Amino acid sequence: MNFKIIFILFFFVLIGSGCASTHQMILEASPHEFTFPKGFLWGSATSAHQVEGNNTNNDWWAWEQTRPLDERSGQADDEWDRFEEDFKLAQELGHTAHRFSIEWSRIEPQEGRWDSKALDHYAQVIRSLRSKGMEPIVTLNHFTIPLWLARQGGWYSDKTPPLFARYVEKVTETLGGNVHYWMTLNEPSVYTYKSYLVGEWPPQVKSPEKGLKVFKNLLLGHVLAYEKIKKVYLQKGWREPMVGIAQNVLIFRACSDTSLRDRIAARFRHWMFNHLFVQALVRGKAYCMGVFSIHLPRAKTLDFIGLNYYTRDFVRHNGFGFPGILGQACTETVGEEQPTGKNNARSWEVYPKGLYTFLKDFSRYKLPLLVSENGIATDDDSQRTEFMVEHLDAMALAMKEGSPVIGYLYWSFLDNYEWVEGFGPRFGLIAVNYKTQERTIRESARKYEKIIRSGKLYL
């Protein structure tokens, strides 16, 4: 790491790189009553592998077979066969939107071979939502990839971006007439970090060089997919769609505010994890001296930005090399030096102010913002109600101050399979008995329904 890079990182701290100490903002002067605009999208979210069950032809399923039985997705929520009854529950609860994902491995089980029955199934899913007054918000890739693609190198392979674009084109041609909102990728920065930097997810690679290449390929995959979607809609004469991504965002704070190195690590991690992917898509390029230089075929390939927000982390300095410059999480040991709030069942801090921070922060892009995930894992449903109200309070304040928020989707509609954590965490508005597949509407879902139907938040 040369002197120029160290100077740039020091400059990040001085100017905040667009992320000045926003974690210190507090919710003041909240409106006594806030009325949400007409057409605001209210609902919840799921993803295919976490709820459908028996997605036997993707990389996650294959990887799960090496893990204990209770950590495998198996039948999950059996949503593949139960979507109709579940959507009736969402309709009963007043939802006006529903985010779900399409499982690539079902659509293209073998390279170049399309499964018309799977396409018909997702067409039925979309028609069912429309018939119940819910806007479908469709994610095209939520972490999993077909097994045949994984064997070819997955997102590390330069062949994957055009293959992803081809899959997206096929899906768009078949389903696009009834879809207005598309999300190409879910949390690409998280995927890169978990799968290629720390090796916690398949394919369990620990390589900064490979991680950077995967990051570039995900960016290119989005751009190519964006162009395919727009082209299909133009050719078909359909109303122009809105295409975005779901970007995970985390508040990062230095373990010690008196440590310049900790502050550099927190700033750099904020930029890398929260903004870099979005900035690259807006500008058509991304650059960090001595680390990487990315140039995309075109700029401005986002029509809206989805934000997945849950919590904040504390970060300590871990060297000036890469990935050491990203710092090391110290959330579990931060102690009394940095007071924290309550934790959820996954030991994530409940920090509603962070949602306000990011809605204000991402307003800089002058694009519509969708809260595409926000939720809590807890066995105490009263905590879920409190979590939602506090975060909706934060969102309302940001909207009052001008943030262009178009909707809020709670994660998750159903209790579901939570990746490496299995079925332990309970996020759902709807409780699921995994042995019987019985659904039970939680009281928090009813409280959420009251807010949706009134269109108002009393603070």
Side-chain angles (χ1 to χ4, degrees):
M1 181 66 66
N2 61 35
F3 175 77
K4 288 183 178 179
I5 298 174
I6 295 173
F7 175 78
I8 290 170
L9 298 173
F10 179 70
F11 191 60
F12 277 179
V13 176
L14 293 182
I15 67 171
S17 187
C19 59
S21 299
T22 48
H23 55 263
Q24 295 178 355
M25 292 181 180
I26 57 175
L27 303 181
E28 296 176 343
S30 298
H32 176 68
E33 176 183 300
F34 182 84
T35 301
F36 291 91
K38 185 177 180 181
F40 191 80
L41 299 171
W42 290 107
S44 57
T46 62
S47 88
H49 192 73
Q50 293 177 267
V51 298
E52 285 181 349
N54 298 313
N55 274 312
T56 61
N57 203 25
N58 68 37
D59 59 333
W60 264 88
W61 181 278
W63 184 66
E64 288 166 19
Q65 306 318 302
T66 68
R67 298 175 63 79
L69 189 62
D70 61 354
E71 295 178 11
R72 303 177 190 178
S73 58
Q75 192 180 20
D77 291 338
D78 194 27
E79 181 75 351
W80 184 263
D81 292 320
R82 296 173 184 264
F83 70 87
E84 182 67 33
E85 63 190 78
D86 285 337
F87 291 168
K88 287 179 181 178
L89 293 178
Q91 181 184 34
E92 178 185 333
L93 293 168
H95 292 196
T96 63
H98 184 77
R99 179 184 168 214
F100 70 99
S101 74
I102 292 175
E103 175 57 41
W104 185 354
S105 67
R106 289 188 186 268
I107 302 300
E108 192 177 6
Q110 297 176 13
E111 184 176 359
R113 184 173 74 80
W114 308 105
D115 190 325
S116 59
K117 290 183 179 180
L119 286 164
D120 288 345
H121 171 88
Y122 286 114
Q124 292 174 28
V125 168
I126 291 167
R127 285 195 297 270
S128 178
L129 288 170
R130 286 285 183 202
S131 71
K132 296 171 180 59
M134 285 181 279
E135 184 77 40
I137 300 172
V138 183
T139 306
L140 289 157
N141 182 238
H142 198 121
F143 296 149
T144 61
I145 57 174
L147 198 52
W148 61 263
L149 184 65
R151 289 168 177 162
Q152 293 181 15
W155 281 106
Y156 180 68
S157 170
D158 291 333
K159 296 179 180 180
T160 298
L163 288 172
F164 178 61
R166 185 183 66 179
Y167 149 73
V168 169
E169 182 178 32
K170 183 68 174 180
V171 170
T172 306
E173 288 174 342
T174 307
L175 307 178
N178 282 321
V179 178
H180 184 58
Y181 292 97
W182 295 95
M183 309 187 87
T184 57
L185 301 167
N186 180 74
E187 300 183 352
S189 299
V190 171
Y191 175 80
T192 302
Y193 183 75
K194 292 285 191 180
S195 294
Y196 285 89
L197 287 182
V198 297
E200 293 177 4
W201 293 359
Q204 292 189 291
V205 173
K206 297 180 181 180
S207 168
E209 294 77 19
K210 290 185 177 181
L212 182 57
K213 186 177 179 183
V214 166
F215 192 80
K216 292 178 180 179
N217 281 340
L218 287 164
L219 282 167
L220 181 57
H222 167 84
V223 173
L224 297 179
Y226 181 94
E227 292 178 332
K228 291 292 188 183
I229 295 170
K230 294 291 186 173
K231 179 182 176 182
V232 169
Y233 273 69
L234 184 62
Q235 291 175 340
K236 299 282 189 181
W238 295 334
R239 178 169 67 117
E240 185 175 6
M242 298 284 283
V243 183
I245 62 168
Q247 175 69 18
N248 185 68
V249 287
L250 269 165
I251 292 289
F252 293 112
R253 184 166 183 176
C255 286
S256 172
D257 285 339
T258 62
S259 169
L260 178 61
R261 292 186 175 192
D262 285 3
R263 290 162 59 200
I264 288 174
R267 297 292 190 196
F268 198 73
R269 187 175 271 224
H270 169 79
W271 175 62
M272 285 284 288
F273 279 84
N274 294 331
H275 279 287
L276 180 58
F277 203 91
V278 171
Q279 283 183 358
L281 296 179
V282 170
R283 300 172 181 174
K285 59 185 178 181
Y287 178 70
C288 184
M289 185 182 298
V291 182
F292 59 81
S293 178
I294 300 171
H295 295 271
L296 299 173
R298 58 173 291 183
K300 298 181 179 179
T301 56
L302 288 174
D303 302 322
F304 73 99
I305 302 170
L307 297 178
N308 296 356
Y309 173 73
Y310 292 91
T311 187
R312 70 171 172 173
D313 268 350
F314 291 86
V315 181
R316 70 160 47 94
H317 171 77
N318 194 34
F320 284 112
F322 188 80
I325 189 60
L326 297 176
Q328 182 179 21
C330 60
T331 304
E332 294 181 0
T333 59
V334 69
E336 296 181 359
E337 184 174 351
Q338 297 283 16
T340 59
K342 294 175 290 188
N343 287 350
N344 71 7
R346 297 179 78 173
S347 298
W348 296 354
E349 182 189 5
V350 176
Y351 191 70
K353 297 171 188 176
L355 182 57
Y356 167 85
T357 295
F358 281 118
L359 292 175
K360 296 291 288 182
D361 190 13
F362 275 75
S363 295
R364 73 171 82 169
Y365 297 109
K366 301 188 185 306
L367 291 168
L369 303 176
L370 171 68
V371 180
S372 43
E373 289 183 25
N374 178 238
I376 182 172
T378 180
D379 295 323
D380 181 352
D381 193 49
S382 65
Q383 291 182 357
R384 185 172 290 103
T385 299
E386 182 180 8
F387 178 97
M388 276 194 291
V389 170
E390 289 177 347
H391 283 78
L392 290 174
D393 181 347
M395 181 179 72
L397 179 56
M399 292 175 69
K400 186 186 179 188
E401 295 178 358
S403 294
V405 185
I406 60 173
Y408 175 89
L409 306 176
Y410 177 82
W411 182 273
S412 173
F413 179 55
L414 301 163
D415 288 339
N416 58 56
Y417 176 72
E418 283 294 332
W419 308 109
V420 295
E421 308 232 6
F423 291 100
R426 296 276 180 165
F427 278 93
L429 295 170
I430 308 291
V432 177
N433 182 322
Y434 295 117
K435 292 182 179 180
T436 66
Q437 293 296 336
E438 179 184 3
R439 272 64 163 155
T440 303
I441 297 175
R442 290 189 166 109
E443 183 60 27
S444 57
R446 295 297 186 189
K447 298 289 179 61
Y448 185 35
E449 177 191 2
K450 289 180 180 178
I451 295 172
I452 293 172
R453 295 195 185 281
S454 70
K456 295 180 180 180
L457 197 61
Y458 297 92
L459 306 170

